[in-house]
Amino acid sequence: MNLELKYTRQSYTVVYKRMFFCKKSAGHVAILKLAFLCFNGPMSDEQFMRAALELAEQAQAAGEVPVGAVVVKDGKIIGRGFNAPISRHDPSAHAEMQALREAAHFLGNYRLVGCELYVTLEPCLMCAGAIMHARIARLVYGAQDFKTGVCGSLLNLFGEMGSPTPDAPLTTPVRLNHHTDVAGGVLAQECGLMLSNFFAMRRAQKKMLWK
């Protein structure tokens, strides 16, 4: 292991323990974990998805559907978000929307050119539209959503766009003017398990209320 990386991880462990025992705050711990991930060199899709999962845990702690998202620019997280439509009284407060807003504020531009978005659940129609308008270069999601997902599960909105090349000419007309590369299934089992456990708990709570 690289000595610098090893030293950084040891320092993180010490700071993490101090914060855990002093603060005992899930929010502080999650922020520290994300900071640790950001400052340890290039990260993989799985590592960025784990950062999104940390945010999904915050949503769950607040009683929201556990979905988290991060926006990445040049290998660094610049936007974070988790589901909060209930607590914010805002139907648009999905994890992706929150992360896009924070990233746009960070860059001072509503166009997030060259950015990637990682989200634990396949985006819905609303979020897919925002991803396109923001000019996100690449979208990576975890679990599929067969009820509202528009990356191929229910619809394939991102399949409506693309640029023809000599090697791969389009067989269907291009109807949208921006192309976002999409990769699904990253840590899909972990992302899906968090959601299924949450809804199982909700169903159990409802049954208890009716007894």
Side-chain angles (χ1 to χ4, degrees):
M1 179 184 291
N2 181 282
L3 289 177
E4 183 179 353
L5 180 59
K6 183 178 180 181
Y7 175 78
T8 305
R9 286 180 175 170
Q10 288 174 340
S11 301
Y12 158 76
T13 302
V14 172
V15 175
Y16 173 86
K17 286 180 178 178
R18 287 178 181 171
M19 181 170 284
F20 179 79
F21 287 114
C22 295
K23 299 289 186 180
K24 294 184 179 180
S25 165
H28 284 86
V29 171
I31 291 170
L32 183 60
K33 286 180 179 179
L34 291 176
F36 168 69
L37 290 173
C38 286
F39 291 105
N40 272 284
M43 292 168 61
S44 65
D45 285 348
E46 289 77 12
Q47 287 174 306
F48 283 123
M49 190 61 73
R50 290 200 185 281
L53 278 166
E54 291 283 353
L55 291 159
E57 289 177 2
Q58 291 188 51
Q60 181 168 276
E64 304 273 2
V65 176
V67 179
V70 296
V71 174
V72 175
K73 172 77 170 178
D74 298 327
K76 303 296 181 183
I77 295 174
I78 63 168
R80 301 169 178 82
F82 58 83
N83 244 21
I86 299 171
S87 58
R88 290 178 178 268
H89 312 294
D90 179 0
S92 72
H94 285 193
E96 301 96 315
M97 304 293 281
Q98 306 276 61
L100 290 170
R101 287 169 183 151
E102 186 172 295
H105 180 76
F106 178 85
L107 294 176
N109 196 332
Y110 76 107
R111 298 293 200 201
L112 305 181
V113 177
C115 291
E116 299 172 293
L117 188 146
Y118 293 78
V119 60
T120 57
L121 182 66
E122 183 180 357
C124 67
L125 184 62
M126 173 184 70
C127 294
I131 288 167
M132 292 178 192
H133 283 297
R135 299 297 191 263
I136 290 291
R138 183 168 177 257
L139 164 68
V140 182
Y141 68 88
Q144 288 182 280
D145 186 346
F146 293 101
K147 292 185 177 179
T148 63
V150 296
C151 299
S153 293
L154 180 66
L155 300 172
N156 188 5
L157 191 63
F158 292 95
E160 295 287 336
M161 49 195 167
S163 300
T165 65
D167 296 328
L170 291 175
T171 56
T172 56
V174 179
R175 294 191 285 184
L176 296 173
N177 66 347
H178 174 68
H179 177 68
T180 297
D181 292 327
V182 180
V186 175
L187 299 184
Q189 186 172 359
E190 292 182 44
C191 295
L193 186 61
M194 181 179 289
L195 287 159
S196 60
N197 287 344
F198 173 81
F199 287 115
M201 180 185 68
R202 278 287 182 87
R203 289 190 294 270
Q205 289 173 341
K206 287 182 179 180
K207 286 181 181 179
M208 291 295 292
L209 290 174
W210 284 101
K211 285 186 177 180

